[in-house]
Amino acid sequence: MVDVRDPSSPRFAPIAGRDPEAVSRPVAIVWPCPLPVGAYVAAGREVEVPRPVCPSCSGPLVFWSGYWRHIRAAGRCRKMFVPRLRCAPCRVSHALLPAFVLAWRLDAAETVGTVIGEVAGGAGGVRPAAARAGVPHTTARGWVRRFTGRGSELGVAFAALAVDLGGEAVRPPAGAGRFALAAITAAFDAALALPGWLAVGRWRFASAVSGGRLLAANTVSPWFVVGERRFMPPVPSAPP
Ligand SMILES: [Zn+2]
């Protein structure tokens, strides 16, 4: 069976000869990747990624190995490379995930977001949305349940982010899922005033600012600290 879990979890095995402490608390950094999933996959290990600073100490990170995981998009399941970066002073390694990846999820953020948008938005049921997206009904149902279950806190966090980015205050519609959707949209609309986010898109934006944890059970997300904007802004791509 394919292990669809993101190996940034502690089950990731340390590389022989390295200090095991270094991978005992791996942390994922999500970057606002505008590449189509297919282009990222096709680049393999050669994929061009940004090199962020350490989220803990702001020191330089160095590329340090990486791993392969699966991603399903447009009905195809493929392997993609995830680079790993390491901060020497903190002795912590960070997986560098493109924003089309959601932690612990096989499916791309757009697929997940499209289903959630349809169902939590009230446009239709899970079954037809899952069929259109080409994912199992039970998988889609799990996404929607988690999203609506966390809807209130997601709504509050994204609504605050929207205001922080200079956007409109969100008037919460009835229902936690709709509130979260409205807040994500408001925050994304506000982010469009900044360079780069248009090419990234709404669901990758939601993934990026939540550190890939949009649908994670863990409700503590440092990426939502308002006023600090701890998420990574998109880098306008340089002309070839
Ligand atoms: Zn550090």
Side-chain angles (χ1 to χ4, degrees), residues 53-61 86-92 94:
V53 297
C54 174
S56 302
C57 73
S58 300
L61 294 170
R86 186 170 187 266
C87 176
C90 294
R91 301 170 67 177
V92 171
H94 304 268

Side-chain angles (χ1 to χ4, degrees), residues 93-228:
S93 77
H94 304 268
L96 188 60
L97 294 170
F100 58 77
V101 167
L102 291 172
W104 307 97
R105 306 285 165 176
L106 171 64
D107 292 282
E110 286 89 352
T111 308
V112 175
T114 300
V115 169
I116 286 174
E118 282 180 33
V119 181
V126 175
R127 221 171 261 283
R132 271 193 294 277
V135 299
H137 164 237
T138 49
T139 303
R141 189 178 60 196
W143 299 339
V144 174
R145 279 184 180 169
R146 176 59 61 80
F147 186 80
T148 52
R150 291 193 64 195
S152 296
E153 62 185 298
L154 286 172
V156 168
F158 276 98
L161 181 60
V163 172
D164 185 47
L165 294 173
E168 300 276 319
V170 178
R171 290 170 144 268
R178 288 185 194 211
F179 175 32
L181 279 177
I184 288 170
T185 300
F188 179 61
D189 286 349
L192 290 179
L194 305 169
W197 286 111
L198 182 62
V200 174
R202 179 167 66 144
W203 290 104
R204 291 191 190 195
F205 163 79
S207 172
V209 302
S210 63
R213 305 185 64 81
L214 189 68
L215 296 182
N218 187 345
T219 56
V220 180
S221 177
W223 301 86
F224 280 128
V225 173
V226 173
E228 292 191 20

